[in-house]
């Protein structure tokens, strides 16, 4: 070992020495030919000297330019996943609506998408914590505007819209509630949806950003919209303080924001006047606003027109609606899977009650198990070959045989827990046991199909043995009801 590593090091040293020698040689050779060229140039007539120097300079410059082109830092582009087509999303919603899923909210999101696209207004979502001065800023930008309503209902009502103008362009400002204005999950959904629906996003702060604000700013960056950091309440800062703060913010968020501006939104101020006779009078008055720097940035965006930002906005909203449609589909499918499992569980229970089966040997009915797996794989759109289903059912039979005593014990507990059942005779124990087996089998198969998009036998078998041991009261009562319901129907 020691020997071989030593010889390896020797070889490496030799190679290194060779490389160094070659580099040295190449350098000397280049220098020599450079000097030779220089001397040859000197011997040439003056005009040729100039021409040759010009040529060399051109080649060097060209090479430098090429290197710059290839190595220069690329402008940063937010990564936006490819959005689905409008028609695709609509078709998906139509199918869901046919299946009686509640698609109303998603439909109105699409309607709002179209409405905003047609309106040619520039939508500006204003974010920031409570008291950063969002509402005051909007008042300064859209003086006298009353909140407009839009077609979206529900939680989105928390966002108020105000119309203002810059030049010819109408801008709609959305006052998005801050973290402490609306609670947790609702706010997150409201904020995200409004960021997606906007062309431009403003983030208002009144000082250095806290950790939460920092995180929110980065989160907003992720939507790929033009993001402007607005430092408000500049009037409260001394000149030196203001310089230091803006320099720090510029440095820190250079790569996060598209522009940073300093403003005073104004807002109202209450002052108390104390008179000599002891009277106190409170006055409210407007502070002077200075939002010129922000108007300049918005004017630039308004100048390129809302249409310029429309593709990004449309892609963002469509991706979101599509993702939510996928969630709806998944939950619909889960409900259907539950119905299929219930159907086969009932059949298994009924079959067991009908058959006279003495002894404690649990032999599951392969026909039923095969039907269950086949129906579930069709539901989850996973192609499964018959041969694989047969192999899986054979495997399940084995695992049921090994856990038969456990299953019968659980079934016995269920029968005891529901007084009516115990008196119904020995067949009942088997019926509940079969119910347990089919309920577990169906859930295990549905779970693997959903998560792995394949009938993974080992995964399904391990889920099955876990589910077979589940003795929750809710479950046992459900299965016992199947048996009891059937007994009652008969009698
Ligand atoms: N000194 C100063 N106070 C401001 C300025 N802008 C807003 N304010 C005050 O900050 C407080 C919160 O403003 P508001 O617009 O309600 O904040 P929001 O919660 O983000 O909507 C109010 O008391 C405003 O008067 C400003 O530019 N300078
Ligand atoms: Mg407010």
């Amino acid at each position: 070992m020691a020997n071989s590593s030593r010889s390896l090091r020797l070889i490496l040293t030799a190679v290194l020495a060779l490389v160094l020698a070659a580099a040295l040689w190449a350098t000397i050779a280049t220098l020599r030919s450079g000097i030779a060229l220089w001397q040859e140039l000197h011997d040439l007539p003056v005009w040729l000297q100039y021409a040759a120097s010009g040529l060399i300079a051109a080649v060097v410059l060209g090479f430098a330019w090429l290197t710059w082109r290839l190595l220069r830092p690329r402008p940063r582009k937010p990564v936006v996943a490819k959005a689905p087509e409008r028609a695709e999303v609509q078709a998906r919603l139509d199918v869901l609506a046919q299946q009686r899923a509640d698609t109303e909210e998603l439909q109105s999101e699409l309607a709002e998408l179209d409405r905003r696209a047609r309106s040619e207004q520039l939508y500006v979502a204003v974010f920031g914590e409570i008291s950063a001065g969002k509402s005051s800023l909007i008042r300064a930008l859209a003086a006298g505007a009353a909140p407009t309503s839009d077609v979206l209902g529900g939680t989105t009502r928390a966002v108020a819209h105000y119309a203002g103008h810059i030049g010819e362009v109408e801008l709609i400002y959305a006052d998005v509630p801050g973290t402490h204005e609306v609670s947790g999950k609702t706010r997150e959904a409201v904020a995200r949806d409004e960021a997606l629906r906007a062309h431009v996003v403003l983030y208002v702060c009144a000082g250095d950003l806290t950790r939460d604000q920092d995180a929110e700013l980065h989160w907003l960056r992720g939507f790929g919209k033009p993001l402007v950091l607005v430092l408000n309440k500049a009037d409260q800062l001394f000149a030196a303080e203001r310089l230091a703060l803006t320099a720090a913010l510029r440095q820190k968020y250079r790569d996060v924001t598209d522009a940073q501006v300093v403003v005073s939104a104004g807002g109202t101020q209450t002052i108390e006047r104390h008179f000599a006779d002891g009277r106190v009078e409170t006055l409210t008055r407007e502070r002077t606003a200075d939002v010129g720097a922000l108007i300049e940035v918005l004017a630039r965006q308004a100048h390129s027109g809302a249409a310029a930002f429309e593709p990004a906005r449309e892609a963002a909203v469509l991706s979101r609606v599509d993702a939510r449609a996928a969630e709806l589909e998944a939950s619909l499918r889960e409900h259907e899977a539950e119905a299929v499992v219930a159907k086969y569980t009932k059949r298994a229970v009924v079959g067991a009650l009908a058959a006279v089966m003495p002894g404690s040997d649990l032999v599951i009915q392969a026909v039923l198990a095969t039907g269950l797996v086949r129906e579930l794989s069709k539901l989850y759109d996973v192609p499964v070959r018959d041969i694989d289903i047969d192999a899986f059912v054979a495997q399940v039979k084995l695992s049921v045989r090994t856990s038969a005593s456990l299953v019968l014990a659980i079934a016995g507990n269920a029968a005891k827990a529901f007084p009516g059942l115990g008196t119904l005779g020995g067949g009942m124990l088997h019926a509940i046991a079969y119910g347990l087996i089919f309920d577990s089998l169906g859930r295990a198969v549905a779970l693997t199909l959903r998560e792995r998009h394949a009938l993974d036998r080992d995964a399904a078998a391990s889920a099955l043995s876990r589910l077979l041991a589940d003795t929750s009261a809710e479950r046992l009562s459900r299965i016992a009801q199947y048996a009891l319901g059937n007994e009652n129907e008969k009698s």
Side-chain angles (χ1 to χ4, degrees):
M1 258 323 261
N3 251 346
S4 77
S5 102
R6 185 150 172 266
S7 50
L8 192 70
R9 266 183 295 172
L10 270 177
I11 292 171
L12 274 177
T13 316
V15 169
L16 202 66
L18 273 176
V19 169
L20 273 177
L24 199 63
W25 186 82
T27 317
I28 291 170
T30 316
L31 274 175
R32 276 180 63 178
S33 40
I35 293 166
L37 186 67
W38 183 254
Q39 275 167 352
E40 277 162 33
L41 272 178
H42 257 270
D43 298 341
L44 289 176
V46 177
W47 71 271
L48 254 182
Q49 278 185 25
Y50 279 118
S53 318
L55 194 69
I56 293 170
V59 168
V60 171
L61 280 178
F63 188 71
W65 177 80
L66 201 70
T67 318
W68 166 247
R69 280 296 309 257
L70 291 174
L71 298 181
R72 83 193 145 140
R74 304 277 150 180
R76 152 186 69 88
K77 266 195 205 140
V79 221
V80 180
K82 198 183 153 345
E85 293 289 324
R86 174 77 168 74
E88 262 172 60
V89 179
Q90 186 62 60
R92 208 166 182 177
L93 289 188
D94 291 344
V95 171
L96 276 167
Q98 271 168 20
Q99 294 169 328
R100 276 195 278 279
D102 182 10
T103 56
E104 199 184 323
E105 211 185 316
L106 298 184
Q107 297 281 13
S108 63
E109 189 70 61
L110 286 186
E112 177 67 7
L113 173 69
D114 297 340
R115 193 190 65 75
R116 289 190 186 189
R118 275 195 310 271
S119 76
E120 289 176 12
Q121 294 154 321
L122 189 75
Y123 274 82
V124 180
V126 184
F127 282 80
E129 274 188 1
I130 187 167
S131 279
K134 301 179 294 295
S135 304
S136 307
L137 183 68
I138 292 174
R139 264 200 304 280
L141 291 166
T148 57
S149 60
D150 61 22
V151 301
L152 296 160
T155 52
T156 39
R157 289 218 187 86
V159 179
H161 290 102
Y162 302 86
H165 277 89
I166 293 182
E168 295 285 283
V169 185
E170 193 174 10
L171 288 87
I172 307 288
Y173 301 98
D175 193 345
V176 184
T179 341
H180 303 292
E181 291 171 83
V182 177
S183 66
K185 281 261 169 277
T186 317
R187 186 193 111 86
E188 197 183 303
V190 165
R192 181 194 46 222
D193 291 352
E194 200 55 38
L196 290 172
R197 291 183 201 116
H199 293 111
V200 176
V201 173
L202 304 187
Y203 195 80
V204 184
C205 62
D208 201 2
L209 268 57
T210 62
R211 261 165 86 122
D212 288 350
Q213 289 173 315
D214 176 277
E216 184 160 46
L217 191 69
H218 278 94
W219 178 69
L220 287 170
R221 165 86 270 167
F223 293 108
K225 307 285 170 93
L227 179 58
V228 183
L229 181 63
V230 182
L231 174 60
N232 185 28
K233 307 195 186 178
D235 57 295
Q236 289 182 339
L237 300 170
F238 293 114
E241 233 181 330
R242 186 170 146 178
L243 266 178
L245 185 56
T246 48
L249 289 174
R250 193 141 294 150
Q251 169 70 21
K252 203 162 154 196
Y253 298 114
R254 201 177 39 203
D255 294 337
V256 182
T257 57
D258 294 275
Q260 297 188 10
V261 292
V262 184
V263 301
S264 292
T268 47
Q269 187 174 23
T270 352
I271 27 182
E272 289 188 344
R273 262 170 73 179
H274 295 264
F275 292 91
D277 58 5
R279 261 188 317 127
V280 183
E281 200 178 89
T282 47
L283 296 170
T284 53
R285 65 169 191 221
E286 296 283 325
R287 286 192 203 89
T288 20
D290 175 10
V291 293
L294 178 57
I295 290 181
E296 230 171 81
V297 168
L298 289 173
R300 244 182 286 142
Q301 281 152 343
H303 182 73
S304 21
F309 303 105
E310 196 53 33
R313 197 182 79 79
E314 183 182 41
V317 173
L318 285 180
S319 297
R320 174 81 189 129
V321 173
D322 197 53
R324 287 180 56 191
E327 282 167 21
L328 272 181
E329 282 167 9
S331 85
L332 264 188
R333 204 178 271 186
E334 219 161 302
H335 272 112
E336 284 173 44
E338 255 167 47
V340 169
V341 174
K343 181 172 85 181
Y344 278 88
T345 304
K346 257 183 233 170
R347 282 190 193 167
V349 169
V350 172
L353 284 171
V356 189
M357 282 190 296
S360 62
D361 200 15
L362 287 175
V363 183
I364 72 157
Q365 294 150 282
V367 184
L368 268 190
T370 306
L372 173 61
V373 176
R374 197 172 285 151
E375 217 167 300
L376 285 174
S377 54
K378 208 166 112 194
L379 178 65
Y380 282 100
D381 219 5
V382 177
V384 182
R385 296 177 307 170
D386 284 348
I387 175 172
D388 290 328
I389 298 184
D390 291 346
F392 177 63
V393 170
Q395 187 177 346
V396 170
K397 277 184 172 172
L398 269 178
S399 94
V400 165
R401 191 169 302 155
T402 49
S403 50
S405 54
L406 170 76
V407 176
L408 283 168
I410 297 170
N413 282 340
K416 262 185 242 143
F418 300 95
L421 292 172
T423 59
L424 291 172
M428 186 55 77
L429 195 67
H430 272 88
I432 296 177
Y434 277 115
L436 271 170
I437 291 167
F438 272 82
D439 188 65
S440 308
L441 177 62
R443 278 159 202 275
V445 169
L447 187 76
T448 13
L449 290 172
R450 186 171 69 231
E451 286 179 356
R452 298 174 186 243
H453 303 287
L455 180 64
D456 182 325
R457 275 199 261 150
D458 292 332
S462 82
L464 173 64
S465 53
R466 186 162 40 77
L467 285 162
L468 275 176
D470 173 10
T471 59
S472 68
E474 178 273 327
R475 179 170 192 234
L476 293 183
S477 98
R478 186 163 40 82
I479 292 165
Q481 293 306 325
Y482 293 152
L484 199 57
N486 191 68
E487 276 301 303
N488 289 345
E489 272 162 37
K490 269 202 287 184
S491 57

